[in-house]
Amino acid sequence: SAVISQKPSRDICQRGTSLTIQCQVDSQVTMMFWYRQQPGQSLTLIATANQGSEATYESGFVIDKFPISRPNLTFSTLTVSNMSPEDSSIYLCSVENRVEETQYFGPGTRLLVL
Amino acid sequence: AQSVAQPEDQVNVAEGNPLTVKCTYSVSGNPYLFWYVQYPNRGLQFLLKYITGDNLVKGSYGFEAEFNKSQTSFHLKKPSALVSDSALYFCAVRVDSNYQLIWGAGTKLIIKP
């Protein structure tokens, strides 16, 4: 498995501002993923972030709105830019353990935009 | 299109009774099947998976699931439910070496004392 931490765990932000979410893993991983989840609902993949390459964004998500950094094999950040109330959600990072062929998730960041 | 269905939004079970949370899938290729659990205000926790081998897989907290290829199902089961099993359960599938997961809508499991 993997131990994954996210910062902040929650935040309340004003519209028009930006928030950067950090994801730290206790081991080196090639593949990291960023998801969005409305409370009680399913997960929506925002992007796949592999170290050494540009993030790959899913339909409906763009780099200008959700820039991602992946500077090394244990860390990634997701920025939610120019926030609006519609961005209020839970943001989750996950990592792929290639040996176990399993994704493991961080605890999530709960974002409320006013 | 590839998809995962969890036909029940909510499942109610009395404590001590067996529980089943249903999952069916539609993919082209060999499925890798997963169950995750999400407790209130928590991230997702991996429960169990099927990739190959024995169709009955056992996971954390006494849960098990059976892969049924002909019915394209991967139902989650537990012989005796606990109140602490109350949570949101997600089924997910991916195909072969494609690492992206396709997610079900989730099933809220409520165990009543």
Side-chain angles (χ1 to χ4, degrees):
Chain A
S1 64
V3 177
I4 305 166
S5 60
Q6 285 185 234
K7 291 181 181 180
S9 59
R10 59 179 66 240
D11 207 342
I12 301 174
C13 301
Q14 297 297 317
R15 69 170 65 212
T17 63
S18 297
L19 176 71
T20 296
I21 302 168
Q22 299 178 7
C23 180
Q24 180 77 52
V25 191
D26 69 340
S27 57
Q28 294 184 338
V29 294
T30 301
M31 304 185 72
M32 295 182 76
F33 305 87
W34 286 99
Y35 289 88
R36 186 167 70 183
Q37 181 191 25
Q38 296 296 333
Q41 298 187 21
S42 191
L43 283 72
T44 300
L45 181 64
I46 297 171
T48 302
N50 293 338
Q51 198 272 336
S53 63
E54 295 291 323
T56 302
Y57 289 83
E58 297 301 306
S59 175
F61 298 96
V62 295
I63 188 172
D64 290 346
K65 176 67 175 177
F66 297 100
I68 289 172
S69 76
R70 185 76 204 276
N72 57 52
L73 290 173
T74 63
F75 187 78
S76 178
T77 65
L78 169 77
T79 298
V80 187
S81 302
N82 188 24
M83 288 184 286
S84 67
E86 291 72 33
D87 294 319
S88 298
S89 192
I90 301 168
Y91 292 85
L92 296 155
C93 71
S94 73
V95 303
E96 173 73 20
N97 182 314
R98 284 194 165 180
V99 173
E100 298 180 21
E101 299 188 278
T102 301
Q103 274 190 38
Y104 292 96
F105 284 80
T109 296
R110 283 152 184 80
L111 172 63
L112 176 63
V113 183
L114 302 177
Chain B
Q2 304 189 109
S3 63
V4 175
Q6 292 181 243
E8 302 152 317
D9 292 336
Q10 183 169 308
V11 171
N12 298 295
V13 178
E15 186 176 28
N17 284 359
L19 69 88
T20 299
V21 183
K22 295 180 180 178
C23 173
T24 59
Y25 63 91
S26 175
V27 298
S28 53
N30 294 320
Y32 291 23
L33 294 150
F34 303 83
W35 276 102
Y36 289 84
V37 60
Q38 186 174 36
Y39 297 101
N41 299 313
R42 303 282 293 277
L44 271 72
Q45 294 182 29
F46 167 72
L47 270 182
L48 51 78
K49 67 185 176 189
Y50 171 83
I51 295 177
T52 187
D54 194 348
N55 288 345
L56 182 65
V57 293
K58 296 184 183 294
S60 307
Y61 311 121
F63 283 93
E64 58 187 29
E66 185 166 13
F67 171 61
N68 188 316
K69 188 174 183 178
S70 63
Q71 297 186 4
T72 62
S73 67
F74 190 57
H75 301 331
L76 181 70
K77 299 182 179 183
K78 187 174 182 179
S80 179
L82 300 172
V83 173
S84 58
D85 293 329
S86 299
L88 188 57
Y89 290 80
F90 290 99
C91 180
V93 65
R94 73 182 199 207
V95 178
D96 293 324
S97 60
N98 185 338
Y99 293 102
Q100 287 192 14
L101 289 170
I102 302 164
W103 293 88
T107 299
K108 186 176 184 180
L109 178 63
I110 298 176
I111 309 299
K112 297 184 178 180

